[in-house]
Amino acid sequence: MFLFNLTYRKPIEEIERLLPAHIAYLDEYYSKGKFLCSGRKEPRTGGVILCRCESLAEAEEIRHRDPFFYEGAADYEIIQFQPSKMAEGFAPLANPS
């Protein structure tokens, strides 16, 4: 499992301009079963995406498809972790498919 920690590098006006393309990116990876949840940080300095992948290489490939990343609007920190404790019902979601 991977946590994508995004930190905006560009002004919020540039983030807003890229938002429709970023939402299309999110929709694509939700439909593929890769993204489990996502949202803005509070205060609005970036965002977080919970992603299930087979490997770090796959996570990096997915990151490169985000307009926020390839337009240089956000830095991406990828944190890999192995879930060891989770809420009931979450286990099936934690395994890559």
Side-chain angles (χ1 to χ4, degrees):
M1 180 131 328
F2 297 85
L3 179 71
F4 294 171
N5 181 22
L6 288 72
T7 302
Y8 298 146
R9 298 179 57 177
K10 293 192 175 178
I12 200 69
E13 295 79 20
E14 181 68 6
I15 300 302
E16 290 291 336
R17 183 184 72 76
L18 294 169
L19 198 54
H22 175 72
I23 291 169
Y25 156 82
L26 293 172
D27 289 345
E28 176 184 352
Y29 286 97
Y30 274 110
S31 71
K32 292 178 177 180
K34 296 297 180 182
F35 290 169
L36 300 179
C37 66
S38 59
R40 295 178 180 168
K41 292 180 186 175
E42 292 295 336
R44 192 174 178 192
T45 59
V48 175
I49 303 169
L50 186 59
C51 178
R52 60 181 180 173
C53 296
E54 294 287 341
S55 66
L56 179 57
E58 182 184 13
E60 289 173 343
E61 181 181 320
I62 290 171
R63 168 190 63 184
H64 281 93
R65 304 272 321 227
D66 187 353
F68 285 175
F69 180 79
Y70 65 75
E71 293 284 341
D75 289 326
Y76 251 84
E77 177 186 17
I78 298 178
I79 302 166
Q80 184 173 3
F81 70 101
Q82 181 62 46
S84 56
K85 189 164 180 71
M86 59 198 81
E88 187 175 327
F90 188 77
L93 296 174
N95 297 313
S97 50

Coordinates of all heavy atoms in Angstrom, one line a residue:
M1 N 0.9 -1.2 0.0 CA 0.0 0.0 0.0 C 0.9 1.2 0.0 O 2.0 1.2 0.5 CB -0.9 0.0 1.2 CG -1.8 1.1 1.3 SD -3.6 0.8 1.6 CE -4.0 -0.7 0.9
F2 N 0.4 2.3 -0.6 CA 1.2 3.5 -0.7 C 0.3 4.7 -0.3 O -0.9 4.8 -0.6 CB 1.7 3.7 -2.2 CG 2.6 2.6 -2.6 CD1 2.1 1.4 -3.1 CD2 4.0 2.7 -2.4 CE1 3.0 0.4 -3.4 CE2 4.8 1.7 -2.8 CZ 4.3 0.5 -3.3
L3 N 1.0 5.7 0.3 CA 0.4 7.0 0.6 C 1.1 8.0 -0.3 O 2.3 8.1 -0.2 CB 0.5 7.3 2.1 CG 0.0 8.7 2.5 CD1 -1.6 8.6 2.5 CD2 0.5 9.0 3.8
F4 N 0.3 8.7 -1.1 CA 0.9 9.8 -1.9 C 0.6 11.1 -1.1 O -0.6 11.4 -0.9 CB 0.2 9.9 -3.3 CG 0.4 8.7 -4.2 CD1 -0.3 8.7 -5.4 CD2 1.3 7.7 -4.0 CE1 -0.1 7.6 -6.3 CE2 1.5 6.7 -4.8 CZ 0.8 6.6 -6.0
N5 N 1.6 11.8 -0.8 CA 1.5 13.0 0.0 C 2.0 14.2 -1.0 O 3.1 14.3 -1.3 CB 2.5 13.0 1.2 CG 2.4 14.2 2.1 OD1 1.4 15.0 2.0 ND2 3.4 14.5 2.8
L6 N 1.0 14.9 -1.4 CA 1.2 16.0 -2.4 C 1.3 17.3 -1.6 O 0.5 17.6 -0.7 CB 0.1 16.1 -3.4 CG -0.1 15.1 -4.4 CD1 -0.6 13.7 -3.8 CD2 -1.0 15.5 -5.5
T7 N 2.3 18.1 -2.0 CA 2.5 19.5 -1.5 C 2.6 20.4 -2.7 O 3.4 20.3 -3.5 CB 3.8 19.6 -0.6 OG1 3.7 18.6 0.4 CG2 3.9 21.0 0.0
Y8 N 1.6 21.4 -2.7 CA 1.6 22.3 -3.8 C 2.9 23.2 -3.9 O 3.4 23.6 -2.8 CB 0.4 23.3 -3.7 CG -1.0 22.6 -3.7 CD1 -2.0 23.0 -3.0 CD2 -1.2 21.4 -4.5 CE1 -3.3 22.4 -3.0 CE2 -2.4 20.8 -4.5 CZ -3.4 21.3 -3.8 OH -4.7 20.7 -3.8
R9 N 3.3 23.4 -5.1 CA 4.5 24.2 -5.4 C 4.1 25.5 -6.0 O 4.9 26.5 -6.1 CB 5.5 23.5 -6.3 CG 6.0 22.2 -5.7 CD 6.9 21.6 -6.7 NE 8.0 22.5 -7.1 CZ 9.0 22.3 -7.9 NH1 9.1 21.1 -8.4 NH2 9.9 23.2 -8.1
K10 N 2.9 25.5 -6.6 CA 2.5 26.7 -7.4 C 1.3 27.4 -6.7 O 0.6 26.7 -5.9 CB 2.1 26.3 -8.8 CG 3.3 25.8 -9.6 CD 3.0 25.7 -11.1 CE 4.3 25.3 -11.8 NZ 4.1 25.1 -13.3
P11 N 1.0 28.6 -7.1 CA -0.1 29.3 -6.4 C -1.4 28.5 -6.7 O -1.6 27.8 -7.6 CB -0.2 30.7 -7.2 CG 1.2 30.8 -7.8 CD 1.7 29.4 -8.0
I12 N -2.4 28.8 -5.8 CA -3.7 28.1 -5.8 C -4.4 28.3 -7.1 O -5.1 27.4 -7.6 CB -4.5 28.4 -4.6 CG1 -5.6 27.4 -4.3 CG2 -5.1 29.8 -4.7 CD1 -5.1 26.1 -3.9
E13 N -4.2 29.4 -7.8 CA -4.8 29.7 -9.1 C -4.3 28.7 -10.1 O -5.1 28.3 -11.0 CB -4.5 31.2 -9.5 CG -5.1 32.2 -8.7 CD -4.2 32.5 -7.4 OE1 -3.0 32.1 -7.3 OE2 -4.8 33.1 -6.5
E14 N -3.1 28.3 -10.1 CA -2.6 27.3 -11.0 C -3.1 25.9 -10.6 O -3.4 25.1 -11.5 CB -1.0 27.3 -11.0 CG -0.4 26.3 -11.9 CD -0.6 26.7 -13.4 OE1 -1.1 27.7 -13.7 OE2 -0.2 25.8 -14.2
I15 N -3.3 25.7 -9.4 CA -3.9 24.4 -8.9 C -5.3 24.3 -9.4 O -5.7 23.3 -10.0 CB -3.8 24.3 -7.4 CG1 -2.4 24.3 -6.9 CG2 -4.6 23.1 -6.9 CD1 -1.5 23.3 -7.4
E16 N -6.1 25.4 -9.3 CA -7.4 25.4 -9.8 C -7.5 25.2 -11.3 O -8.4 24.5 -11.8 CB -8.1 26.7 -9.4 CG -8.4 26.9 -7.9 CD -9.5 26.0 -7.4 OE1 -10.3 25.5 -8.2 OE2 -9.4 25.7 -6.2
R17 N -6.6 25.8 -12.0 CA -6.6 25.6 -13.5 C -6.4 24.1 -13.9 O -7.0 23.6 -14.8 CB -5.4 26.4 -14.1 CG -5.4 26.4 -15.6 CD -4.2 27.2 -16.2 NE -3.0 26.5 -16.0 CZ -2.5 25.4 -16.6 NH1 -3.3 24.9 -17.6 NH2 -1.3 24.9 -16.4
L18 N -5.5 23.4 -13.1 CA -5.2 22.0 -13.4 C -6.2 21.0 -12.7 O -6.2 19.8 -13.0 CB -3.8 21.7 -12.9 CG -2.7 22.4 -13.6 CD1 -1.4 22.2 -12.8 CD2 -2.5 21.9 -15.0
L19 N -7.1 21.5 -11.9 CA -8.0 20.7 -11.1 C -8.9 19.7 -12.0 O -9.0 18.5 -11.7 CB -8.9 21.5 -10.2 CG -9.5 20.7 -9.1 CD1 -8.5 19.9 -8.2 CD2 -10.3 21.7 -8.2
P20 N -9.5 20.2 -13.1 CA -10.3 19.3 -13.9 C -9.5 18.1 -14.5 O -9.9 16.9 -14.4 CB -10.8 20.2 -15.1 CG -10.8 21.5 -14.5 CD -9.6 21.6 -13.6
A21 N -8.2 18.3 -14.9 CA -7.4 17.3 -15.4 C -7.0 16.3 -14.2 O -6.9 15.1 -14.4 CB -6.2 17.8 -16.1
H22 N -6.7 16.9 -13.1 CA -6.4 16.1 -11.9 C -7.5 15.2 -11.5 O -7.3 14.0 -11.2 CB -5.9 17.0 -10.7 CG -5.7 16.3 -9.5 ND1 -4.5 15.5 -9.3 CD2 -6.4 16.2 -8.3 CE1 -4.6 15.0 -8.0 NE2 -5.7 15.4 -7.4
I23 N -8.7 15.7 -11.5 CA -9.9 15.0 -11.2 C -10.1 13.8 -12.2 O -10.5 12.7 -11.8 CB -11.2 15.9 -11.1 CG1 -11.1 16.8 -9.8 CG2 -12.5 15.0 -11.0 CD1 -12.1 17.9 -9.8
A24 N -9.9 14.1 -13.5 CA -9.9 13.0 -14.5 C -8.9 11.9 -14.2 O -9.2 10.7 -14.3 CB -9.8 13.6 -15.9
Y25 N -7.7 12.3 -13.7 CA -6.7 11.4 -13.3 C -7.1 10.5 -12.1 O -7.0 9.3 -12.2 CB -5.4 12.2 -13.0 CG -4.4 11.5 -12.1 CD1 -3.5 10.6 -12.5 CD2 -4.4 11.9 -10.7 CE1 -2.6 10.0 -11.7 CE2 -3.5 11.3 -9.9 CZ -2.6 10.4 -10.3 OH -1.7 9.8 -9.5
L26 N -7.7 11.2 -11.1 CA -8.2 10.4 -10.0 C -9.3 9.5 -10.4 O -9.3 8.3 -10.0 CB -8.8 11.4 -8.9 CG -7.8 12.3 -8.2 CD1 -8.6 13.4 -7.4 CD2 -6.8 11.6 -7.4
D27 N -10.2 9.9 -11.2 CA -11.3 9.0 -11.7 C -10.8 7.8 -12.4 O -11.3 6.7 -12.2 CB -12.3 9.8 -12.6 CG -13.1 10.8 -11.9 OD1 -13.2 10.8 -10.6 OD2 -13.7 11.7 -12.6
E28 N -9.8 8.0 -13.2 CA -9.2 6.9 -14.0 C -8.6 5.8 -13.0 O -8.9 4.6 -13.2 CB -8.0 7.4 -14.9 CG -7.3 6.2 -15.6 CD -6.1 6.7 -16.4 OE1 -5.9 7.9 -16.5 OE2 -5.4 5.8 -16.9
Y29 N -7.9 6.2 -12.0 CA -7.3 5.2 -11.1 C -8.3 4.7 -10.0 O -8.1 3.6 -9.6 CB -6.0 5.8 -10.5 CG -4.9 5.8 -11.5 CD1 -4.6 6.9 -12.3 CD2 -4.3 4.6 -11.9 CE1 -3.7 6.8 -13.3 CE2 -3.4 4.5 -12.9 CZ -3.1 5.6 -13.6 OH -2.2 5.6 -14.6
Y30 N -9.4 5.4 -9.7 CA -10.4 4.9 -8.9 C -11.1 3.7 -9.7 O -11.4 2.7 -9.2 CB -11.5 5.9 -8.5 CG -11.1 6.6 -7.2 CD1 -10.7 8.0 -7.3 CD2 -11.2 6.0 -6.0 CE1 -10.4 8.7 -6.1 CE2 -10.9 6.7 -4.8 CZ -10.5 8.0 -4.9 OH -10.2 8.7 -3.7
S31 N -11.4 4.0 -11.0 CA -12.1 3.0 -11.9 C -11.2 1.7 -12.0 O -11.7 0.7 -12.2 CB -12.5 3.6 -13.2 OG -11.3 3.8 -14.0
K32 N -9.9 1.9 -11.9 CA -9.0 0.7 -12.1 C -8.8 0.0 -10.7 O -8.0 -1.0 -10.6 CB -7.6 1.2 -12.6 CG -7.7 1.7 -14.0 CD -6.3 2.1 -14.5 CE -6.4 2.5 -16.0 NZ -5.1 3.0 -16.5
G33 N -9.4 0.6 -9.7 CA -9.3 0.0 -8.3 C -7.9 0.2 -7.6 O -7.6 -0.4 -6.7
K34 N -7.2 1.2 -8.1 CA -5.9 1.6 -7.5 C -6.0 2.6 -6.4 O -5.3 2.5 -5.4 CB -4.9 2.1 -8.6 CG -4.6 1.1 -9.7 CD -3.9 -0.1 -9.1 CE -3.5 -1.1 -10.1 NZ -2.8 -2.3 -9.6
F35 N -6.9 3.5 -6.5 CA -7.1 4.5 -5.4 C -8.2 4.1 -4.5 O -9.3 3.7 -5.0 CB -7.4 5.9 -6.0 CG -6.2 6.6 -6.7 CD1 -6.4 7.7 -7.5 CD2 -4.9 6.0 -6.6 CE1 -5.3 8.3 -8.2 CE2 -3.8 6.6 -7.3 CZ -4.1 7.8 -8.1
L36 N -8.0 4.3 -3.2 CA -9.0 3.9 -2.2 C -9.7 5.2 -1.6 O -10.8 5.1 -1.3 CB -8.4 3.1 -1.1 CG -7.7 1.8 -1.5 CD1 -7.1 1.1 -0.4 CD2 -8.8 0.9 -2.2
C37 N -8.9 6.2 -1.4 CA -9.5 7.5 -1.0 C -8.5 8.6 -1.3 O -7.3 8.4 -1.5 CB -9.8 7.5 0.5 SG -8.5 7.3 1.6
S38 N -9.0 9.8 -1.3 CA -8.1 11.0 -1.6 C -8.8 12.2 -1.1 O -10.0 12.2 -0.8 CB -7.9 11.1 -3.1 OG -9.1 11.2 -3.8
G39 N -8.0 13.3 -0.9 CA -8.6 14.5 -0.5 C -7.6 15.6 -0.3 O -6.4 15.3 -0.3
R40 N -8.1 16.8 -0.1 CA -7.2 18.0 0.2 C -6.7 18.0 1.6 O -7.4 17.5 2.5 CB -8.0 19.3 0.0 CG -8.5 19.5 -1.3 CD -9.4 20.8 -1.3 NE -9.8 21.1 -2.7 CZ -10.7 22.0 -3.0 NH1 -11.3 22.7 -2.0 NH2 -11.1 22.1 -4.2
K41 N -5.6 18.5 1.8 CA -5.1 18.8 3.2 C -5.8 20.0 3.7 O -6.2 20.9 2.9 CB -3.6 19.0 3.2 CG -2.7 17.8 2.8 CD -1.2 18.3 2.8 CE -0.3 17.2 2.3 NZ 1.1 17.7 2.3
E42 N -5.9 20.1 5.0 CA -6.4 21.3 5.7 C -5.3 21.8 6.6 O -4.9 21.1 7.5 CB -7.6 21.0 6.5 CG -8.8 20.6 5.6 CD -9.3 21.8 4.7 OE1 -9.1 22.9 5.1 OE2 -10.0 21.5 3.7
P43 N -4.8 23.0 6.4 CA -5.1 24.0 5.3 C -4.8 23.5 4.0 O -4.0 22.5 3.8 CB -4.4 25.2 5.7 CG -3.2 24.7 6.5 CD -3.6 23.5 7.2
R44 N -5.3 24.1 2.9 CA -5.1 23.7 1.6 C -3.7 23.9 1.0 O -3.5 24.8 0.2 CB -6.2 24.4 0.7 CG -6.3 23.7 -0.7 CD -7.4 24.3 -1.5 NE -7.5 23.7 -2.8 CZ -8.2 24.1 -3.8 NH1 -8.9 25.2 -3.6 NH2 -8.2 23.5 -4.9
T45 N -2.8 23.0 1.4 CA -1.4 23.1 1.0 C -1.0 21.9 0.1 O 0.1 21.8 -0.3 CB -0.5 23.1 2.2 OG1 -0.7 21.9 2.9 CG2 -0.7 24.3 3.1
G46 N -2.0 21.0 -0.2 CA -1.7 19.8 -1.0 C -2.8 18.9 -0.8 O -4.0 19.2 -0.5
G47 N -2.5 17.6 -1.0 CA -3.5 16.5 -0.9 C -2.9 15.2 -0.5 O -1.6 15.1 -0.4
V48 N -3.7 14.2 -0.3 CA -3.3 12.9 0.1 C -4.1 11.9 -0.8 O -5.3 12.1 -1.0 CB -3.5 12.6 1.6 CG1 -3.2 11.2 1.9 CG2 -2.7 13.6 2.4
I49 N -3.4 10.8 -1.2 CA -4.1 9.8 -2.0 C -3.6 8.4 -1.4 O -2.4 8.2 -1.2 CB -3.7 9.8 -3.5 CG1 -4.1 11.1 -4.1 CG2 -4.4 8.6 -4.2 CD1 -3.5 11.3 -5.5
L50 N -4.6 7.6 -1.0 CA -4.3 6.2 -0.6 C -4.4 5.3 -1.8 O -5.4 5.2 -2.4 CB -5.2 5.8 0.5 CG -4.9 4.4 1.2 CD1 -3.5 4.4 1.8 CD2 -5.9 4.1 2.3
C51 N -3.3 4.6 -2.1 CA -3.2 3.9 -3.3 C -2.7 2.4 -3.1 O -1.8 2.2 -2.2 CB -2.1 4.6 -4.2 SG -1.8 3.8 -5.8
R52 N -3.3 1.5 -3.8 CA -2.8 0.1 -3.7 C -2.2 -0.3 -5.0 O -2.8 -0.2 -6.0 CB -3.9 -0.8 -3.2 CG -5.1 -0.9 -4.2 CD -6.1 -1.9 -3.7 NE -7.2 -1.9 -4.6 CZ -8.2 -2.8 -4.5 NH1 -8.3 -3.6 -3.5 NH2 -9.2 -2.8 -5.4
C53 N -0.9 -0.7 -4.9 CA -0.2 -1.1 -6.1 C 0.6 -2.3 -5.7 O 0.8 -2.7 -4.6 CB 0.8 0.0 -6.4 SG 0.1 1.5 -7.0
E54 N 1.1 -3.0 -6.8 CA 2.0 -4.2 -6.6 C 3.4 -3.8 -6.2 O 4.1 -4.6 -5.6 CB 2.0 -5.0 -7.9 CG 0.7 -5.6 -8.3 CD 0.3 -6.8 -7.4 OE1 1.2 -7.4 -6.8 OE2 -0.9 -7.1 -7.4
S55 N 3.9 -2.6 -6.6 CA 5.3 -2.2 -6.4 C 5.5 -0.7 -6.4 O 4.6 0.0 -6.8 CB 6.1 -2.8 -7.5 OG 5.8 -2.2 -8.8
L56 N 6.6 -0.3 -5.9 CA 7.0 1.1 -5.9 C 7.1 1.6 -7.3 O 6.6 2.7 -7.6 CB 8.3 1.3 -5.1 CG 8.8 2.7 -5.1 CD1 7.8 3.7 -4.5 CD2 10.2 2.8 -4.4
A57 N 7.6 0.8 -8.2 CA 7.7 1.2 -9.6 C 6.3 1.5 -10.2 O 6.1 2.5 -10.9 CB 8.3 0.1 -10.4
E58 N 5.3 0.7 -9.8 CA 3.9 1.0 -10.3 C 3.4 2.3 -9.7 O 2.8 3.1 -10.4 CB 3.0 -0.2 -10.0 CG 1.6 0.0 -10.5 CD 0.6 -1.1 -10.1 OE1 0.9 -1.9 -9.2 OE2 -0.5 -1.1 -10.6
A59 N 3.6 2.5 -8.4 CA 3.2 3.7 -7.8 C 3.9 4.9 -8.4 O 3.2 6.0 -8.7 CB 3.6 3.7 -6.3
E60 N 5.1 4.8 -8.8 CA 5.8 6.0 -9.4 C 5.3 6.2 -10.8 O 5.1 7.3 -11.2 CB 7.3 5.7 -9.5 CG 8.0 5.8 -8.1 CD 9.4 5.3 -8.1 OE1 9.9 4.6 -9.0 OE2 10.1 5.7 -7.1
E61 N 4.9 5.1 -11.5 CA 4.3 5.3 -12.8 C 3.0 6.0 -12.7 O 2.7 6.9 -13.5 CB 4.1 3.9 -13.5 CG 3.5 3.9 -14.8 CD 3.3 2.5 -15.4 OE1 4.2 1.6 -15.2 OE2 2.2 2.3 -16.0
I62 N 2.2 5.6 -11.8 CA 0.9 6.3 -11.5 C 1.1 7.8 -11.2 O 0.4 8.7 -11.7 CB 0.1 5.6 -10.5 CG1 -0.4 4.2 -11.0 CG2 -1.1 6.4 -10.0 CD1 -1.0 3.3 -9.9
R63 N 2.0 8.1 -10.4 CA 2.4 9.5 -10.0 C 2.7 10.3 -11.2 O 2.2 11.4 -11.3 CB 3.5 9.5 -9.0 CG 4.1 10.9 -8.8 CD 5.4 10.9 -8.1 NE 6.4 10.2 -8.8 CZ 7.7 10.0 -8.4 NH1 8.0 10.4 -7.2 NH2 8.6 9.4 -9.1
H64 N 3.4 9.7 -12.1 CA 3.8 10.5 -13.3 C 2.7 10.8 -14.2 O 2.8 11.7 -15.1 CB 4.9 9.7 -14.1 CG 6.2 9.8 -13.5 ND1 6.7 8.9 -12.6 CD2 7.2 10.7 -13.7 CE1 8.0 9.2 -12.3 NE2 8.3 10.3 -12.9
R65 N 1.5 10.2 -14.0 CA 0.3 10.5 -14.9 C -0.5 11.7 -14.3 O -1.4 12.2 -15.0 CB -0.5 9.3 -14.9 CG 0.1 8.0 -15.4 CD 0.1 7.9 -16.9 NE -1.2 8.3 -17.4 CZ -1.9 7.7 -18.3 NH1 -1.5 6.5 -18.7 NH2 -3.1 8.1 -18.6
D66 N -0.2 12.1 -13.1 CA -0.9 13.2 -12.5 C -0.5 14.6 -13.1 O 0.7 14.9 -13.0 CB -0.7 13.2 -11.0 CG -1.6 14.2 -10.3 OD1 -2.3 15.0 -10.9 OD2 -1.6 14.2 -9.0
P67 N -1.4 15.4 -13.6 CA -1.1 16.7 -14.1 C -0.4 17.6 -13.1 O 0.4 18.4 -13.4 CB -2.4 17.3 -14.5 CG -3.3 16.1 -14.7 CD -2.9 15.0 -13.8
F68 N -0.8 17.4 -11.8 CA -0.1 18.2 -10.7 C 1.4 17.8 -10.7 O 2.2 18.7 -10.4 CB -0.7 17.9 -9.4 CG -2.1 18.5 -9.1 CD1 -2.7 18.2 -7.9 CD2 -2.7 19.4 -10.0 CE1 -4.0 18.8 -7.6 CE2 -3.9 20.0 -9.7 CZ -4.5 19.7 -8.5
F69 N 1.7 16.6 -11.0 CA 3.1 16.2 -11.0 C 3.8 16.7 -12.2 O 4.8 17.4 -12.2 CB 3.3 14.7 -10.8 CG 4.7 14.2 -10.8 CD1 5.4 14.3 -9.7 CD2 5.3 13.7 -11.9 CE1 6.8 13.9 -9.6 CE2 6.6 13.2 -11.9 CZ 7.3 13.4 -10.8
Y70 N 3.3 16.3 -13.4 CA 4.1 16.6 -14.6 C 4.0 18.0 -15.0 O 4.9 18.5 -15.8 CB 3.7 15.6 -15.8 CG 2.3 15.7 -16.4 CD1 1.9 16.7 -17.2 CD2 1.4 14.7 -16.1 CE1 0.6 16.8 -17.7 CE2 0.1 14.7 -16.7 CZ -0.2 15.8 -17.4 OH -1.5 15.8 -18.0
E71 N 3.1 18.8 -14.5 CA 3.1 20.3 -14.7 C 4.0 21.0 -13.6 O 4.0 22.2 -13.7 CB 1.7 20.8 -14.7 CG 0.8 20.3 -15.9 CD 1.2 21.0 -17.2 OE1 1.8 22.1 -17.1 OE2 0.8 20.5 -18.2
G72 N 4.5 20.2 -12.7 CA 5.4 20.8 -11.7 C 4.6 21.6 -10.6 O 5.1 22.5 -9.9
A73 N 3.3 21.4 -10.5 CA 2.4 22.1 -9.6 C 2.5 21.6 -8.2 O 2.1 22.3 -7.2 CB 1.0 22.1 -10.1
A74 N 2.9 20.3 -8.0 CA 3.0 19.7 -6.7 C 4.2 18.7 -6.6 O 4.5 18.1 -7.5 CB 1.7 18.9 -6.4
D75 N 4.8 18.7 -5.4 CA 5.8 17.7 -5.1 C 5.0 16.5 -4.6 O 4.0 16.6 -3.9 CB 6.7 18.2 -4.0 CG 7.7 19.3 -4.4 OD1 8.1 19.2 -5.6 OD2 8.0 20.2 -3.6
Y76 N 5.5 15.3 -4.9 CA 4.9 14.1 -4.5 C 5.9 13.3 -3.6 O 7.0 13.0 -4.0 CB 4.7 13.2 -5.8 CG 3.3 13.0 -6.2 CD1 2.7 13.9 -7.0 CD2 2.6 11.8 -5.9 CE1 1.4 13.7 -7.5 CE2 1.4 11.6 -6.4 CZ 0.7 12.5 -7.2 OH -0.5 12.3 -7.7
E77 N 5.5 13.0 -2.4 CA 6.2 12.1 -1.6 C 5.4 10.8 -1.6 O 4.2 10.8 -1.3 CB 6.3 12.6 -0.1 CG 6.9 11.7 0.8 CD 6.9 12.1 2.3 OE1 6.0 13.0 2.6 OE2 7.6 11.6 3.1
I78 N 6.1 9.7 -1.9 CA 5.4 8.4 -1.9 C 5.9 7.6 -0.7 O 7.1 7.4 -0.5 CB 5.8 7.6 -3.2 CG1 5.2 8.3 -4.4 CG2 5.2 6.2 -3.1 CD1 5.5 7.6 -5.7
I79 N 5.0 7.2 0.2 CA 5.3 6.4 1.4 C 4.7 5.0 1.2 O 3.5 4.9 1.1 CB 4.7 7.1 2.6 CG1 5.3 8.6 2.7 CG2 5.0 6.3 3.9 CD1 4.5 9.4 3.7
Q80 N 5.6 4.1 1.2 CA 5.2 2.7 1.1 C 5.0 2.1 2.5 O 5.8 2.4 3.4 CB 6.2 1.8 0.4 CG 5.7 0.4 0.1 CD 6.6 -0.4 -0.8 OE1 7.7 0.1 -1.2 NE2 6.3 -1.6 -1.0
F81 N 3.9 1.4 2.8 CA 3.7 0.8 4.1 C 2.9 -0.5 3.9 O 2.3 -0.8 2.9 CB 3.0 1.8 5.0 CG 1.5 2.0 4.7 CD1 0.5 1.4 5.4 CD2 1.2 2.9 3.7 CE1 -0.8 1.6 5.2 CE2 -0.1 3.2 3.5 CZ -1.1 2.5 4.2
Q82 N 3.1 -1.4 4.9 CA 2.4 -2.7 5.0 C 1.3 -2.6 6.1 O 1.7 -2.5 7.2 CB 3.4 -3.8 5.3 CG 2.8 -5.1 5.4 CD 2.2 -5.6 4.0 OE1 2.8 -5.4 3.0 NE2 1.0 -6.1 4.1
P83 N 0.1 -2.5 5.7 CA -1.0 -2.5 6.8 C -0.9 -3.7 7.7 O -0.8 -4.8 7.2 CB -2.3 -2.5 6.0 CG -1.9 -2.1 4.6 CD -0.5 -2.5 4.4
S84 N -0.8 -3.5 9.0 CA -0.8 -4.6 9.9 C -2.0 -4.6 10.8 O -2.3 -5.7 11.4 CB 0.5 -4.5 10.7 OG 0.6 -3.3 11.4
K85 N -2.7 -3.5 10.9 CA -3.9 -3.4 11.7 C -4.9 -2.5 10.9 O -4.5 -1.5 10.4 CB -3.6 -2.9 13.1 CG -4.8 -3.0 14.0 CD -4.4 -2.8 15.4 CE -5.5 -2.9 16.4 NZ -6.0 -4.2 16.6
M86 N -6.1 -2.9 10.8 CA -7.1 -2.2 10.0 C -8.5 -2.4 10.5 O -8.8 -3.4 11.2 CB -6.9 -2.5 8.5 CG -7.2 -3.9 8.2 SD -6.5 -4.3 6.5 CE -4.8 -4.6 6.9
A87 N -9.4 -1.5 10.1 CA -10.8 -1.6 10.5 C -11.4 -2.8 9.8 O -11.0 -3.2 8.7 CB -11.5 -0.3 10.1
E88 N -12.4 -3.3 10.5 CA -13.1 -4.5 9.9 C -13.7 -4.1 8.5 O -14.2 -3.0 8.3 CB -14.3 -4.8 10.8 CG -15.0 -6.1 10.4 CD -16.1 -6.5 11.4 OE1 -15.9 -6.3 12.6 OE2 -17.1 -7.0 11.0
G89 N -13.5 -4.9 7.6 CA -14.0 -4.7 6.2 C -13.0 -4.0 5.3 O -13.2 -4.0 4.1
F90 N -11.9 -3.6 5.9 CA -10.9 -2.9 5.1 C -9.9 -3.8 4.4 O -9.3 -3.6 3.4 CB -10.1 -1.9 5.9 CG -9.2 -1.0 5.1 CD1 -9.7 0.1 4.3 CD2 -7.8 -1.2 5.1 CE1 -8.8 0.8 3.6 CE2 -6.9 -0.5 4.3 CZ -7.5 0.6 3.6
A91 N -9.7 -5.0 5.0 CA -8.7 -6.0 4.5 C -8.8 -6.3 3.0 O -7.8 -6.3 2.3 CB -8.7 -7.2 5.3
P92 N -10.0 -6.5 2.5 CA -10.1 -6.8 1.1 C -9.6 -5.6 0.2 O -9.1 -5.8 -0.9 CB -11.6 -7.1 0.8 CG -12.1 -7.5 2.1 CD -11.3 -6.7 3.2
L93 N -9.8 -4.4 0.7 CA -9.3 -3.2 -0.1 C -7.8 -3.1 0.0 O -7.2 -2.4 -0.9 CB -10.0 -2.0 0.5 CG -11.5 -1.9 0.4 CD1 -12.0 -0.7 1.1 CD2 -11.9 -1.9 -1.1
A94 N -7.2 -3.6 1.0 CA -5.7 -3.3 1.2 C -4.9 -4.2 0.3 O -3.7 -3.8 0.1 CB -5.4 -3.6 2.7
N95 N -5.4 -5.2 -0.3 CA -4.6 -6.0 -1.2 C -4.7 -5.6 -2.6 O -5.9 -5.3 -3.1 CB -5.1 -7.5 -1.1 CG -4.9 -8.0 0.3 OD1 -3.9 -7.9 0.9 ND2 -5.9 -8.7 0.8
P96 N -3.6 -5.4 -3.3 CA -3.7 -5.0 -4.7 C -4.4 -6.0 -5.6 O -4.4 -7.2 -5.3 CB -2.2 -4.9 -5.2 CG -1.4 -4.9 -3.9 CD -2.3 -5.6 -2.9
S97 N -5.1 -5.5 -6.6 CA -5.8 -6.4 -7.5 C -5.4 -6.3 -8.9 O -4.7 -5.5 -9.2 CB -7.3 -6.2 -7.4 OG -7.7 -4.8 -7.5

